[in-house]
Amino acid sequence: MGIAPSPIQIDSRVTDFIAKPRKMLIDGKWVNAVSGKTFPTYNPATGEVLAQVAEGDRADIDLAVKAARKAFDSGPWSRMTASERGKLVWKLADLLEEHMEEFATLETLDNGKPLTVARAADVPLAVDLFRYMAGWATKLEGTTIPLSVPYTPGAIYHAYTLREPVGVVGQIIPWNFPLLMAAWKLGPALASGCTVVLKPAEQTPLSALRLGELFAEAGFPDGVVNIVPGYGETAGAALAAHDLVDKIAFTGSTEVGKLIVHAATGNLKKVSLELGGKSPNVVFKDADMDAAIAGAASAIFFNHGQCCCAGSRLYVERPAFDRVVEGVASKAKKIKVGSGLDPATHMGPLVSEEQLQRVCNYLEIGMAEGAKAASGGRRIDGKGYFVEPTVLVETKDYMKVVQEEIFGPVVAAIPFDNPEELLTRANDSVYGLAAGIWTHDVSKAHRTAALLRAGTVWINCYNIFDAALPFGGYKQSGWGREMGKDVLNLYTQTKAVCTRL
Ligand code: ADP
């Protein structure tokens, strides 16, 4: 078993869970893949196989979609009251909270992130998301509408709208926050009354599969949530293209987001996308420098830079540039990189060999194009997928390391001279997911926030998430919003009912 030696005794529930090949959840039953195939998931701290998982493909997706269809069209789920539905989602949150330690450990083993982070962020945020969405189940209301139809003079109408669930939803999620991304997707879908086929990322399927066990325990009817692990090009593509799916919700790369849009054209299913980013984090010279430096470091190094909203372009007003770069580089050098199970670790490994290659490739290209590393810049030798936290300077705006999403702990620090120039350069990106602003000047902060083309702007903070705060992208960073009440629009549709009195 590929678990790194560690000062922490791993919970026996976790070791038992990963000791057996994990099956997939279809129609309330745990089943093997139709093909009988399994695939390995790796421990990124060691590069060794962590567990074997049933490999879903087109045939399994078809069974899961049909189960979700049946549960939506004729199962008890659709006849439940909104309150009963909300209670189940709340119960799920309670169960997840009871198993906090187990989920945090699974997440660390499968994804590599520090256990301290999984405990403090991933699992509590997922619990909170389910609770927030549970409350919405009873608040999805329509409106009454006064009509003034010109061609039926004198007629009186009673017109109103209903908000109804969109139906069977396919959800495809990434590996950077495996449990939390499952919660972001499942919470609003279930609160709205949809049924779901979820495909976790092939790199990190374990926490979603463990979550699957809690649905039956919470009392969800069979077929409401189906979980099919497998690869993107096979299981994911089959789900995106399936004709009985009413909506597909995807979080991942912009490149795959475009494939999802194409795949969805067959039956014109609804599509929502939460995609990549290359987010500008802007430090003005009047900022609280200690806070800005700490914030800039955490904006890029949190979760090893494997965040779609990572502050990967650090724009600093020229008089403060050297101080900020020195400060962030010095923080980068002090980051303890190691196994996520070690309580002293600040940063774990990248999620996979492929991701390590991708990040190292960007570092090489950046250096070849003339960038310099103020800290880091290299892979850390030895077992596991470790890379140094890196601050690049002397970049040019056209360079790949400034234009493209690296999805690793690599920030390009860039000086600017005035706010107009800053806005042009910060907005010069195909992405528009998030941005940060550090300044004492409230008026400048809000003027800049209004002009940044991004779905989220953090002022004097970064990476602040809350189930109530909508999150999503401008431009090629996506369609629609996750969380908040906005996300419910993605899982409901409006029916207008008009009666002549
Ligand atoms: P990354 O490149 O960071 O791994 P991806 O966008 O490739 O991110 O993956 C996000 C999710 O999309 C994963 O669950 C993956 O399996 C899935 N996926 C990848 N390719 C496809 C595809 N062609 N169709 C549907 N899903 C896909």
Side-chain angles (χ1 to χ4, degrees), residues 304-497:
H304 328 164
Q306 300 171 137
C307 299
C308 46
C309 56
S312 51
R313 291 183 292 149
L314 176 60
Y315 290 97
V316 186
E317 206 165 2
R318 198 173 297 273
F321 185 74
D322 289 347
R323 182 170 168 199
V324 171
V325 168
E326 232 176 83
V328 177
S330 141
K331 287 202 178 291
K333 287 175 194 155
K334 288 190 197 124
I335 288 174
K336 187 169 176 324
V337 182
S339 160
L341 292 172
D342 183 341
T345 291
H346 301 129
M347 187 186 283
L350 300 182
V351 73
S352 62
E353 174 78 39
E354 189 189 353
Q355 192 58 17
L356 178 70
Q357 291 311 330
R358 176 190 159 98
V359 172
C360 292
N361 197 27
Y362 271 115
L363 288 172
E364 268 172 37
I365 294 172
M367 308 293 186
E369 286 185 330
K372 301 270 177 304
S375 71
R378 288 178 307 118
R379 172 186 185 162
I380 299 173
D381 293 333
K383 280 209 304 186
Y385 315 133
F386 296 96
V387 70
E388 293 174 339
T390 300
V391 179
L392 295 178
V393 289
E394 296 183 33
T395 58
K396 299 278 177 291
D397 289 359
Y398 60 79
M399 288 182 180
K400 275 185 191 294
V401 288
V402 176
Q403 292 291 329
E404 296 182 14
E405 183 176 46
I406 298 175
F407 224 68
V410 182
V411 63
I414 303 162
F416 70 92
D417 290 302
N418 60 65
E420 293 71 38
E421 174 214 340
L422 174 266
L423 281 166
T424 309
R425 294 171 79 189
N427 285 333
D428 177 23
S429 170
V430 295
Y431 297 113
L433 191 57
I437 299 170
W438 300 84
T439 175
H440 271 133
D441 180 339
V442 172
S443 157
K444 183 163 59 186
H446 291 289
R447 267 187 281 118
T448 309
L451 294 169
L452 284 168
R453 304 251 298 128
T456 295
V457 180
W458 286 294
I459 298 173
N460 294 332
C461 58
Y462 207 94
N463 277 336
I464 298 302
F465 289 96
D466 189 285
L469 193 64
F471 180 80
Y474 281 30
K475 300 193 265 182
Q476 292 188 34
S477 289
W479 293 351
R481 293 291 174 272
E482 308 286 325
M483 301 194 290
K485 58 182 175 193
D486 286 45
V487 70
L488 298 155
N489 295 329
L490 304 180
Y491 291 97
T492 53
Q493 51 196 347
T494 300
K495 178 179 282 173
V497 182

Side-chain angles (χ1 to χ4, degrees), residues 3-312:
I3 296 171
S6 132
I8 286 193
Q9 183 63 39
I10 296 170
D11 194 317
S12 63
R13 289 169 304 179
V14 172
T15 41
D16 290 351
F17 185 78
I18 57 181
K20 300 188 270 252
R22 301 315 314 176
K23 299 184 177 184
M24 55 183 83
L25 177 62
I26 298 180
D27 208 8
K29 286 161 205 72
W30 290 96
V31 295
N32 291 318
V34 170
S35 68
K37 283 202 230 167
T38 62
F39 69 100
T41 179
Y42 296 90
N43 178 348
T46 61
E48 291 163 18
V49 173
L50 180 64
Q52 288 290 336
V53 177
E55 185 186 327
D57 203 334
R58 185 172 302 277
D60 310 281
I61 289 288
D62 189 52
L63 292 173
V65 168
K66 286 179 175 150
R69 193 75 261 168
K70 185 173 70 156
F72 185 81
D73 292 337
S74 53
W77 177 245
S78 306
R79 292 189 296 275
M80 277 186 188
T81 64
S83 169
E84 285 167 336
R85 226 171 41 230
K87 267 194 232 157
L88 289 181
V89 178
W90 190 279
K91 176 82 175 132
L92 182 75
D94 286 345
L95 289 172
L96 183 55
E97 196 170 42
E98 275 171 35
H99 295 275
M100 175 87 74
E101 194 55 26
E102 195 187 332
F103 275 93
T105 307
L106 261 183
E107 213 67 327
T108 292
L109 290 173
D110 211 10
N111 165 280
K113 65 179 66 203
L115 189 53
T116 45
V117 171
R119 276 186 193 136
D122 296 68
V123 190
L125 282 170
V127 170
D128 205 43
L129 189 291
F130 282 123
R131 293 222 169 98
Y132 173 86
M133 290 300 165
W136 270 113
T138 47
K139 293 159 198 75
L140 298 172
E141 298 166 340
T143 48
T144 54
I145 300 167
L147 299 193
S148 322
V149 184
Y151 51 83
T152 57
I156 300 175
Y157 298 92
H158 172 49
Y160 62 93
T161 58
L162 297 171
R163 275 180 87 187
E164 298 187 336
V166 94
V168 173
V169 180
Q171 303 185 317
I172 300 175
I173 56 171
W175 45 259
N176 56 346
F177 294 90
L179 175 71
L180 185 58
M181 293 301 102
W184 280 20
K185 293 277 181 274
L186 289 163
L190 297 172
S192 305
C194 296
T195 60
V196 177
V197 177
L198 176 79
K199 193 206 81 66
E202 55 270 36
Q203 297 85 349
T204 55
L206 297 179
S207 55
L209 292 171
R210 179 69 186 101
L211 185 69
E213 297 182 341
L214 300 187
F215 283 97
E217 209 177 324
F220 282 85
D222 292 349
V224 171
V225 174
N226 305 274
I227 303 181
V228 182
Y231 292 103
E233 307 74 41
T234 52
L239 183 56
H242 204 293
D243 276 350
L244 297 179
V245 171
D246 297 303
K247 172 196 162 54
I248 193 96
F250 171 76
T251 296
S253 60
T254 292
E255 192 191 344
V256 174
K258 291 178 184 177
L259 297 177
I260 300 280
V261 170
H262 285 292
T265 54
N267 70 341
L268 286 181
K269 57 176 70 66
K270 318 275 183 274
V271 178
S272 56
L273 305 167
E274 201 262 273
L275 306 176
K278 189 75 184 178
S279 298
N281 191 16
V282 181
V283 180
F284 287 102
K285 65 176 190 278
D286 68 343
D288 170 341
M289 281 302 150
D290 290 344
I293 288 166
S298 117
I300 185 65
F301 299 135
F302 173 66
N303 212 42
H304 328 164
Q306 300 171 137
C307 299
C308 46
C309 56
S312 51

